[in-house]
Amino acid sequence: MAHLRSRRRPALTLPLGLALTASLGFLPGAASAAPADSPAITASSATADAGALAYVVNTRTDHRTLASVKKAIATAGGTVVTSYDRIGVIVVHASNPDFGRQIRAVKGVQSAGATRTSPLVAAGTTDEGAAQVLSKAQAKSLAAQATSGTEPLEADQWDLRAIGADKAAKINPGSRDVTVGVIDTGVDDTHPDLAPNFSASQSANCVGGKADTSPGAWRPYDPAEDYHGTHVAGEIAAARNGIGVAGVAPGVKVAGIKVSDPDDGLFYPENVVCAFVFAADHGVEVTNNSYYVDPWLYNCMDDPDQKAIVDAVDRAQLYAQKKGTLNLASAGNSNDDLDSDALVDDSSPDDATPVHRTIDPHKCFDIPTQLPGVVTVSASGPTGAKSYYSSYGKGVIDIAAPGGDKFQFPDTPSKNGRILSTMPGGQYGFLQGTSMASPHAAGVAALLKSAHPKATPAQLQALLKAEADNPGCPSDPYDGDGDGVVDATCEGGKRVNGFYGFGIVDALDAVKK
């Protein structure tokens, strides 16, 4: 890791009954340390890409195979945008409509496919509903109700109190040696609540598949539209500095790794591959992933394009795990049972005309959420009940965290059941979604990493589960929106179940135990 650790730290004691198994991928991966060696695509070649598709080509990682495959890519009419030789993932642009079939037949290619269904042109986030931005008058009114020793808007942060984060901050607000990478729409590092904790050296723009670390490249393209990443960053690490709100881990650092496309706001696979590799290579201990990889909500392994997408992203996130990064991801807002026999997906592909299809979530994967070793987070509301929109599933959900729920009302000045956090331009606003749940869990993971700096990603995941508080399945039929119709069925017991996994994260326990 990038930061030296004290040898005087107490040994990590793990709770009994939680197996600490290595995170193993279900697809072939590799981890040689060779850097990416292909240049970024140039302006002239980008012009030539009009009408082209983007591809990921996944290969063995020996130099001979990589060289021969790159030669075959050129022969088939493809242009290498960048190559992550260490994991055997090559990002390619090609106009040849038969490129995918041709390159899959090349010796050494293990999978290959298009990362989108529409040609390249000169938001797949998991928040639910529109943002509610506070006006200056509203913010002033709420701040007037602040109590001594709290942030001006903290009275409306029911979510911090729900997981003991307000009390945890008085014991251990988190270490400056821990960074959480926000893989998202970009982060406004000029926000007064984020600037004190922002790490520019660990931030980048990964749009296009190759990291751009020029100053400010990580900021949102359009602050009015691309507010998602800034909101997420505040939930994790907004500073306790007498301004605005507080984050779950206000003492740790936060980095922004932008992956949303400027034209359509989507999170394409090559961007996400770049983000995981960049985070790992720049000492990021935890990543938050509040999105699904576009254009497919579920990627089916019997489709060569979708299989290649799963393979490429899996290789990248496993590489990050092997380098010491814990990855957390939101469960999604479809209220889907991810352990069911069949689900209807009528939103994919979201970069073209969607098709209606029935999929098996055990064979078609929401990524990075369902990748091995990734912590899958469902959402809860102010009462502790599962949020009405949150996807769930026994054996799929690892933990739960506050994500907000407009049908659950907290005892706060605004009575707003959504999550209040930072917005671009120094503003604040309410959002809800599993997008908001995952960063709460990432903040707790950062507190755990602060307390146990030598803990591996597998150990951190075990601690998250051990210190979570599980309310168990509800005794009454679940009706999340109160319309009298049963919306979901919780399976499992008090220790682990489909709504909460091992339970709702507990920031106070993370710093006390």
Side-chain angles (χ1 to χ4, degrees), residues 3 5 169 172-182 193-199 202 232-240 247-255 284-286 439-451 511:
H3 306 288
R5 308 300 187 188
N172 182 357
S175 169
R176 303 294 292 175
D177 288 336
V178 174
T179 301
V180 180
V182 176
D193 250 340
L194 298 177
N197 291 337
F198 192 78
S199 176
Q202 294 169 294
V232 164
E235 293 171 58
I236 296 167
R240 283 189 173 274
V248 172
V252 306
K253 293 188 294 185
V254 65
V284 171
E285 285 82 6
V286 178
H440 282 78
V444 175
L447 292 177
L448 286 167
K449 184 67 174 178
S450 299
V511 299

Side-chain angles (χ1 to χ4, degrees), residues 332-337 386-392 478 487-488:
N333 298 339
S334 303
N335 193 33
D336 282 345
D337 182 353
K386 182 186 90 70
S387 300
Y388 71 93
Y389 51 78
S390 180
S391 292
Y392 58 100
Y478 177 81
D487 297 319

Side-chain angles (χ1 to χ4, degrees), residues 123-125 127 131 182 184-188 207 218-232 258-267 422-425 431:
T125 57
D127 52 329
V182 176
D184 214 294
T185 62
V187 174
D188 179 5
V207 175
W218 51 79
R219 294 176 188 148
Y221 288 115
D222 181 354
E225 296 290 335
D226 302 325
Y227 49 74
H228 190 271
T230 302
H231 196 278
V232 164
K258 185 166 63 180
V259 294
S260 61
D261 189 89
D263 295 311
D264 54 22
L266 300 182
F267 290 49
T422 48
M423 299 285 277
L431 280 171

Side-chain angles (χ1 to χ4, degrees), residues 26-30 54-59 82 84 86-92 110-115 268-277 293-294 299 301 304-320 327 367-368 371-372:
F26 47 74
L27 292 171
Y55 293 82
V56 283
V57 179
N58 305 306
T59 77
T82 191
Y84 293 98
R86 69 204 81 179
I87 59 173
V89 177
I90 307 172
V91 179
V92 178
Q110 296 172 319
S111 63
T115 65
Y268 290 114
E270 60 269 31
N271 305 352
V272 174
V273 168
C274 168
F276 279 125
V277 174
V293 171
D294 300 290
N299 293 266
M301 301 300 284
D305 291 320
Q306 295 167 45
K307 179 182 185 296
I309 290 171
V310 177
D311 188 357
V313 177
D314 189 44
R315 290 175 183 225
Q317 71 88 18
L318 283 173
Y319 173 78
N327 304 312
I367 60 172
L371 293 178

Side-chain angles (χ1 to χ4, degrees), residues 10-78:
L12 175 64
T13 302
L14 291 169
L16 297 176
L18 286 176
L20 297 180
T21 56
S23 300
L24 300 176
F26 47 74
L27 292 171
S32 65
D37 54 12
S38 298
I41 196 162
T42 63
S44 59
S45 58
T47 302
D49 273 341
L53 285 177
Y55 293 82
V56 283
V57 179
N58 305 306
T59 77
R60 297 197 302 265
T61 57
D62 62 279
H63 295 301
R64 180 174 296 180
T65 295
L66 286 162
S68 66
V69 169
K70 290 173 186 177
K71 184 176 181 181
I73 287 170
T75 300

Side-chain angles (χ1 to χ4, degrees), residues 12 101 152 170 175 229 247 257 348 467 474 485 498:
L12 175 64
R101 185 191 64 80
K170 297 176 181 178
S175 169
I257 307 176
S348 303
E467 295 172 359
V485 178

Side-chain angles (χ1 to χ4, degrees), residues 474-489:
S475 56
D476 297 324
Y478 177 81
D479 176 15
D481 56 10
D483 64 356
V485 178
V486 175
D487 297 319
T489 301

Side-chain angles (χ1 to χ4, degrees), residues 132-171:
Q132 298 177 331
V133 180
L134 290 182
S135 67
K136 290 183 178 179
Q138 289 172 320
K140 184 176 180 180
S141 175
L142 292 176
Q145 302 177 61
T147 59
S148 177
T150 66
E151 298 298 280
L153 302 180
E154 192 174 347
D156 253 299
Q157 291 188 272
W158 61 266
D159 47 305
L160 296 186
R161 295 183 288 280
I163 60 173
D166 55 333
K167 296 177 181 177
K170 297 176 181 178
I171 300 173

